[in-house]
Amino acid sequence: MPLSLNDAQTVIEQARAHSDDLGVPMNIAVVDGGGHLLAFARMDGAILGSIDIALTKAKTSILFDSPSENLWEYCKPGGPAPATEYTNGGLIPYAGGIPLHDETGTLIGAIGVSGGLPAQDGEVARAGAAATV
Amino acid sequence: MPLSLNDAQTVIEQARAHSDDLGVPMNIAVVDGGGHLLAFARMDGAILGSIDIALTKAKTSILFDSPSENLWEYCKPGGPAPATEYTNGGLIPYAGGIPLHDETGTLIGAIGVSGGLPAQDGEVARAGAAATV
Amino acid sequence: MPLSLNDAQTVIEQARAHSDDLGVPMNIAVVDGGGHLLAFARMDGAILGSIDIALTKAKTSILFDSPSENLWEYCKPGGPAPATEYTNGGLIPYAGGIPLHDETGTLIGAIGVSGGLPAQDGEVARAGAAATV
Amino acid sequence: MPLSLNDAQTVIEQARAHSDDLGVPMNIAVVDGGGHLLAFARMDGAILGSIDIALTKAKTSILFDSPSENLWEYCKPGGPAPATEYTNGGLIPYAGGIPLHDETGTLIGAIGVSGGLPAQDGEVARAGAAATV
């Protein structure tokens, strides 16, 4: 089953709740399994430059079917695949993007979060992603 | 007062309600007064190609502080400013984008809607924009 | 069911056979339901400038879930949606792109063909698309 | 002699056979001597983000008439030409791209492979390139 808009909004709501707990306003994007935008919310006070980063983290998670930070093992200095973060029109190799799968394991979307430190972004993304489990 | 996320979501909710009345699923974007994305919703079944068009209609309305279709008078064949629709990385010169102003007349954002015929998109955008009045 | 590579290659084989009948070498692209490239073949002698056009016709068909030429009714001079062909990073509003659906009606991909006159491109695309029926 | 489509498909078939042996699904691109796309295949299960990387490895091999990983000696930290990997709209400085030459040594194309670890991509690319020897 593809993600519905209601599903996507539930993902965003849970991510927002966790952001409120942290006290850090976030940009939160949800895309479908092909990487096309489904829903987005910029929380009051979230950094403008993080809009694009949230969108790109979601894209990164779709393109590699993996949390965005996993890309770092490949593209980091000394890693086997330097400059991979500059492919595909730009990728983000740190935390905040999480792929979403249905009960059959099919990739149905991703959440991308940006606005805090990467560790915070990743925490909020996982809180949002948990809504689809 | 800048638009809050709650304001933007109310704009989207009213636009969605009108789309449901028309029976045409829409892509609905709300941007702030600087044109930066605030909130977005793709209704179930809305056309993928209209995501970019909804975003671009909102951008068009911010850049000209005007409903997107007003651009047509300038850029249409025989008009005074042909090709203006290709400036600014691409603009949309038909209905579906509406600027949002606060009670002092300050431009605080825009809604962009795409998914139906331009007349339907414009109707839905106006329904959404009415939420801020 | 998503398109497999074998499915995509069958689509290309049938399109090639029809191109051979016409005597016009074509560029033939097959993308998945999210618009991501699955398979491509440039027939010997096909025009280089048509590689991008074939890819863009497939994209157009995914984004509007429609044969690429249907876009023309919207964006043509006097049509309701001028300049739509310049959205989404560029679209093609003439024949040669056909969406592919599974037996449940789900959009699972598209074929894009370019190299001849648009009418020929459309004929070849339909011959390829028939492989998925 | 330029590469024919049949040649390109033989290259892809041999690369696919080696990918099957490794058990890693790959994206495989073949371009002509000018870098223009000739044939492409995404094996079932191959990573979406590797489509662009496969295409870029083939481009890298054409532009430097060299296996893609040779670029690393120039652009690596401490190397003589840092940031070269960001020229030409983006290059890939690790294994998976191999130039193809005819019996006179003329550059007639390249294969680009991505989907596994760089060492695996390079192995598969060499298996494909061997088809033209």
Side-chain angles (χ1 to χ4, degrees), chain A residues 64 71 74-75 79-91, chain D residues 49-76 83-99 111-119 121-122:
Chain A
F64 294 90
L71 183 58
Y74 295 91
C75 68
T84 297
E85 70 272 37
Y86 304 113
T87 64
N88 290 283
L91 300 168
Chain D
S50 284
I51 299 170
D52 183 57
I53 297 173
L55 294 166
T56 304
K57 284 176 178 175
K59 180 179 79 168
T60 300
S61 291
I62 290 294
L63 291 176
F64 295 90
D65 195 357
S66 182
S68 51
E69 65 266 38
N70 290 7
L71 182 59
W72 184 241
E73 291 307 307
Y74 295 89
C75 69
K76 70 181 178 186
T84 300
E85 71 271 38
Y86 308 117
T87 64
N88 292 283
L91 300 167
I92 296 285
Y94 50 87
I98 304 273
I111 179 173
V113 174
S114 185
L117 292 169
D121 298 348

Side-chain angles (χ1 to χ4, degrees), chain C residues 39-123:
Chain C
F40 180 86
R42 170 156 48 104
M43 293 171 67
D44 297 341
I47 291 168
L48 291 181
S50 284
I51 298 169
D52 183 58
I53 298 174
L55 293 166
T56 304
K57 285 177 177 174
K59 180 178 80 167
T60 302
S61 291
I62 290 295
L63 290 178
F64 294 90
D65 196 355
S66 181
S68 51
E69 66 268 37
N70 290 9
L71 183 60
W72 184 241
E73 291 307 307
Y74 295 89
C75 68
K76 68 181 179 188
T84 298
E85 70 272 37
Y86 304 113
T87 63
N88 291 284
L91 301 168
I92 297 285
Y94 52 87
I98 303 276
L100 306 174
H101 300 94
D102 69 11
E103 57 286 337
T104 70
T106 302
L107 180 69
I108 54 171
I111 180 173
V113 174
S114 184
L117 294 168
Q120 294 171 318
D121 297 349
E123 221 179 275

Side-chain angles (χ1 to χ4, degrees), chain B residues 47-49 52 72 86 92-94 118, chain C residues 63 74 80-82 84 86-88:
Chain B
I47 291 170
L48 292 178
D52 183 58
W72 184 241
Y86 308 117
I92 296 285
Y94 50 88
Chain C
L63 290 178
Y74 295 89
T84 298
Y86 304 113
T87 63
N88 291 284

Side-chain angles (χ1 to χ4, degrees), chain A residues 62-133:
Chain A
I62 290 294
L63 289 178
F64 294 90
D65 196 355
S66 181
S68 52
E69 65 267 37
N70 290 8
L71 183 58
W72 184 241
E73 291 306 307
Y74 295 91
C75 68
K76 70 181 178 188
T84 297
E85 70 272 37
Y86 304 113
T87 64
N88 290 283
L91 300 168
I92 297 285
Y94 52 85
I98 303 274
L100 306 173
H101 300 93
D102 69 10
E103 56 287 338
T104 72
T106 302
L107 180 68
I108 54 171
I111 180 173
V113 174
S114 185
L117 293 169
Q120 294 171 317
D121 298 348
E123 219 181 277
V124 170
R126 282 190 297 277
T132 61
V133 176

